[in-house]
Amino acid sequence: MKKYFLLSQILLLSIYSKSQQPPSKLSVDASVGLSLPVGKFGDKSAFQFANNSAKVPGWANAGPALQLNINYQIQELYGISFLIGGQKNGQDKEALENQARQFNAPNGKFELTTNSWEIFRLMAGGYLKIPLRANKSYFQPKSLGGILKTSIPA
């Protein structure tokens, strides 16, 4: 019993001493999630031809998304931020096959292959730290700009 008590006190002391160190100016966070396509990107409706132009939906499915964010605090209430991320959304093969059947004979034979939408982003900008509740928590809005590369399925 004394062994567990001593171990718990050492752990509490370690946590307490860690919290007394000044915070680092550099912070890194990673996110993994689900990319849900919306709008024309996720639309699975048929081709629409009007006024000599075609409106083609994206037929995108949900897919994985990854993001790495690096923040460097310049002063107490502001800093710079860098973001690198990407996502991959496959296409709905069944919806595309149904669309192809409308243009071909219903029992006609054809082979359909689909590729994925791939999106990569690299951004940089700044952030503000707005203190809330006597500096115990912060609201941190960011403004970022950069490049976005999208590979469109062919």
Side-chain angles (χ1 to χ4, degrees):
M1 185 68 155
K2 288 182 183 180
K3 185 167 80 173
Y4 293 115
F5 177 75
L6 182 60
L7 180 61
S8 67
Q9 293 304 310
I10 290 172
L11 287 174
L12 285 174
L13 184 59
S14 298
I15 292 168
Y16 179 76
S17 63
K18 176 87 172 144
S19 67
Q20 296 304 311
Q21 294 176 356
S24 172
K25 288 187 171 227
L26 182 68
S27 68
V28 178
D29 63 82
S31 320
V32 176
L34 188 63
S35 167
L36 301 172
V38 296
K40 286 179 71 177
F41 181 51
D43 189 9
K44 298 187 181 11
S45 64
F47 285 112
Q48 296 175 3
F49 296 100
N51 300 329
N52 294 328
S53 66
K55 293 183 181 179
V56 182
W59 291 296
N61 287 328
L66 305 165
Q67 187 166 293
L68 178 68
N69 195 21
I70 301 168
N71 296 314
Y72 183 76
Q73 187 173 341
I74 296 173
Q75 291 291 324
E76 183 181 356
L77 298 177
Y78 64 91
I80 57 175
S81 185
F82 301 95
L83 180 138
I84 184 170
Q87 67 191 60
K88 187 172 185 174
N89 300 83
Q91 285 189 305
D92 188 339
K93 188 172 183 176
E94 187 178 330
L96 278 166
E97 284 176 349
N98 291 337
Q99 178 68 34
R101 278 192 178 74
Q102 289 179 4
F103 288 105
N104 296 311
N107 295 328
K109 291 188 178 190
F110 58 91
E111 186 175 325
L112 182 69
T113 58
T114 61
N115 294 316
S116 296
W117 291 89
E118 294 175 350
I119 300 170
F120 169 78
R121 62 190 149 278
L122 181 62
M123 306 178 91
Y127 69 88
L128 293 174
K129 256 177 123 172
I130 302 169
L132 306 171
R133 292 186 169 179
N135 292 339
K136 290 187 178 183
S137 58
Y138 294 88
F139 174 64
Q140 187 172 312
K142 293 181 182 182
S143 178
L144 302 173
I147 61 171
L148 177 77
K149 170 69 173 113
T150 303
S151 68
I152 300 171

